[in-house]
Amino acid sequence: MTQAVLPEPAFPDLDSMLSRKFGKEVANYFSGIWCSNSNLVPPNLVNPSGIAGSPLNRVSFLRTDHEFLSAALKHPATSFLLFNNLNPLAKDPSHLSYISYADVKPLIGEDSYSKTEEQMIADYNSTTTIPQLLFLGLDERNKQGLTYNIYTGSPYFALDVTPKGSITSRAQHLIETLQSRGLKFLEGRIQASLPAQDAAIYAQARALLDWNARNPYCAQCGQPTLSINGGMKRTCPPKDMASLEGAIGGNVGAAPADRPDCATRKGVSNLCFPRTDPTVIMAVVSLDGKRVLLGRQKRWPQYWYSTLAGFVEPAESVEEAVRREVWEESGVKLGRVVIHSTQPWPYPANLMIGAIAQCIPDGEEIVLKHDPELESARWASLDEVREALRVGTSGLDEPSQDGYKEGNLRLPPGTAIANQLLAAVVGGFVGESPKI
């Protein structure tokens, strides 16, 4: 499979003290670099390659403005990315398919934002299934798109069309209509097939739809919650137009029923926000700077290795997490830790924090008796890693590249942050004049 082209970083030609010391910013697959398309950026600093991450300005401060959302919903320049069981609508594995308001209107109705958030909460009815709709942002490159106050661009939304509840028949009809056009919902993880811009939009939409789907009930009182703020928050309404006995599909009462008291309606912590799980992933360099630590899990293809990784725990710094995870998984002990770059990973909602770290004296011995996660770990020379980056990269379920010799080291593809970390190390990151 042809590997996707990585996005260029924001301001690749900008001269600054930071860029001279550390090199240009590193952009990873699934990442967005909206700022390079902003009207506020001088033309000479805009990314010249056109290969960017997400082009969307999320304008998060407009998510509560239902006048704006209503106008955006119905504008001719608006694009909708649909998901069925978290699988995106596409023409083929390399091309997402965006559809219009006219296509989704039979499912979502005339105007999902005709009421204010306050009215939506007051009129909440737990027996009614509301299609999950997300406002993703504005593509400001389109100067003929929606103009609202000082903002102009093409609006983007994501919509969950999974058949369920009271919308089952309408959702199924929409799915069948789209399939009759030759479109399909791509199953499985999308890791390297989409262009960088579509990959970033997909990642944003999938992560938020997954979070909404996982949080239909209040963590405090157990009652159903309501999506608000353009799909970016969930709230626990104080009343329900359905009787409590029919909260899963029963009778609708004549007047709103008071729901049980809930702590989320008191104080300032009265909403549920999307979850992001910080994860560290690190290229570990030997004390002499000539080898890199790699590990593999039992389920991985033969000869396929990667950098070590693990979740950041509560009340733990990134540097602490790097040292702890490496010691737990490999027994190797680390000194200095430097953050290199980051990558959103929408399976389901991770933020991969890439780091490069170096061993302390007498800290290079590999011991696998602590955490049993790894089947094996080993040190690889920089030359071995260079050769693997040249001809030995692939996804877990993909064949090796042309020119690969069986038995040699295999590594993750360029769309994985592990690849970027290893490329940085063999490119001289730990030299006297480090460049990211």
Side-chain angles (χ1 to χ4, degrees):
M1 178 183 292
T2 302
Q3 294 185 11
V5 178
L6 292 176
E8 281 289 331
F11 314 124
D13 299 320
L14 177 65
D15 181 45
S16 69
M17 290 185 289
L18 287 176
S19 62
R20 287 194 295 271
K21 182 174 178 61
F22 297 108
K24 66 181 181 180
E25 183 177 310
V26 174
N28 286 293
Y29 198 63
F30 291 134
S31 299
I33 54 168
W34 158 78
C35 58
S36 66
N37 297 313
S38 170
N39 291 327
L40 302 178
V41 179
N44 63 306
L45 296 182
V46 173
N47 182 348
S49 71
I51 304 171
S54 173
L56 303 184
N57 178 351
R58 299 193 184 194
V59 286
S60 60
F61 44 84
L62 292 178
R63 292 175 185 148
T64 58
D65 187 338
H66 280 210
E67 180 182 350
F68 163 73
L69 292 177
S70 180
L73 187 75
K74 296 178 283 187
H75 196 274
T78 297
S79 297
F80 292 82
L81 179 58
L82 273 52
F83 287 75
N84 181 13
N85 288 316
L86 297 179
N87 300 316
L89 185 67
K91 300 174 184 177
D92 56 58
S94 298
H95 299 88
L96 295 179
S97 182
Y98 298 93
I99 64 175
S100 68
Y101 167 71
D103 292 314
V104 301
K105 182 179 176 181
L107 179 62
I108 66 175
E110 180 72 28
D111 187 356
S112 303
Y113 304 107
S114 59
K115 297 179 181 180
T116 65
E117 282 192 357
E118 290 77 11
Q119 290 173 324
M120 289 174 60
I121 294 172
D123 295 341
Y124 176 68
N125 187 329
S126 60
T127 65
T128 301
T129 304
I130 302 175
Q132 185 60 59
L133 188 63
L134 304 174
F135 172 67
L136 301 177
L138 291 175
D139 185 348
E140 296 179 303
R141 297 173 300 178
N142 183 4
K143 304 306 179 184
Q144 306 303 315
L146 169 69
T147 295
Y148 187 82
N149 294 335
I150 62 174
Y151 311 102
T152 298
S154 297
Y156 277 69
F157 287 84
L159 176 65
D160 184 0
V161 299
T162 306
K164 56 187 173 183
S166 58
I167 64 169
T168 297
S169 60
R170 285 181 288 152
Q172 190 60 48
H173 182 266
L174 176 56
I175 291 172
E176 293 171 357
T177 298
L178 296 170
Q179 290 174 335
S180 70
R181 301 178 188 175
L183 303 176
K184 56 185 177 181
F185 291 92
L186 298 179
E187 297 184 0
R189 291 187 175 186
I190 296 176
Q191 295 188 11
S193 58
L194 293 176
Q197 293 188 9
D198 279 346
I201 293 173
Y202 157 80
Q204 178 189 0
R206 188 195 188 283
L208 288 170
L209 287 176
D210 183 79
W211 168 75
N212 274 281
R214 289 171 185 261
N215 291 273
Y217 299 102
C218 177
Q220 177 67 31
C221 69
Q223 292 294 307
T225 54
L226 172 67
S227 175
I228 59 173
N229 202 239
M232 284 290 294
K233 297 178 184 178
R234 300 192 69 88
T235 189
C236 183
K239 297 180 180 294
D240 192 346
M241 292 296 292
S243 64
L244 292 178
E245 291 76 18
I248 307 299
N251 299 321
V252 176
D258 289 331
R259 303 216 295 180
D261 191 31
C262 181
T264 65
R265 304 187 203 116
K266 302 175 182 178
V268 295
S269 301
N270 58 350
L271 293 167
C272 179
F273 294 88
R275 173 175 173 170
T276 296
D277 299 322
T279 306
V280 289
I281 180 167
M282 41 277 176
V284 174
V285 183
S286 60
L287 184 64
D288 62 7
K290 297 180 179 180
R291 294 169 297 151
V292 182
L293 179 66
L294 299 172
R296 59 170 279 108
Q297 297 181 15
K298 186 175 182 179
R299 63 184 178 87
W300 291 354
Q302 195 173 16
Y303 313 122
W304 204 95
Y305 281 76
S306 185
T307 56
L308 276 56
F311 288 102
V312 180
E313 296 189 350
E316 184 177 48
S317 70
V318 169
E319 291 83 358
E320 286 177 293
V322 168
R323 296 187 185 101
R324 175 183 55 78
E325 282 288 344
V326 169
W327 177 82
E328 288 180 352
E329 293 184 7
S330 72
V332 171
K333 300 173 184 178
L334 302 182
R336 185 73 168 95
V337 176
V338 177
I339 296 175
H340 171 271
S341 62
T342 60
Q343 179 181 38
W345 193 252
Y347 305 111
N350 299 118
L351 177 62
M352 308 297 292
I353 304 171
I356 296 176
Q358 195 163 21
C359 289
I360 61 174
D362 301 321
E364 297 178 359
E365 181 184 2
I366 294 175
V367 179
L368 300 180
K369 66 181 181 181
H370 305 302
D371 188 335
E373 180 174 343
L374 297 181
E375 178 188 54
S376 67
R378 72 180 184 90
W379 291 99
S381 70
L382 296 190
D383 286 341
E384 186 180 8
V385 173
R386 285 191 186 95
E387 179 65 10
L389 290 173
R390 188 179 70 86
V391 295
T393 63
S394 70
L396 285 172
D397 301 321
E398 298 172 357
S400 55
Q401 296 172 266
D402 292 339
Y404 170 77
K405 295 181 180 179
E406 187 69 17
N408 286 355
L409 177 65
R410 296 179 62 184
L411 293 172
T415 51
I417 190 173
N419 183 292
Q420 296 259 47
L421 295 173
L422 292 171
V425 169
V426 301
F429 183 88
V430 293
E432 293 183 2
S433 300
K435 294 288 185 182
I436 291 178

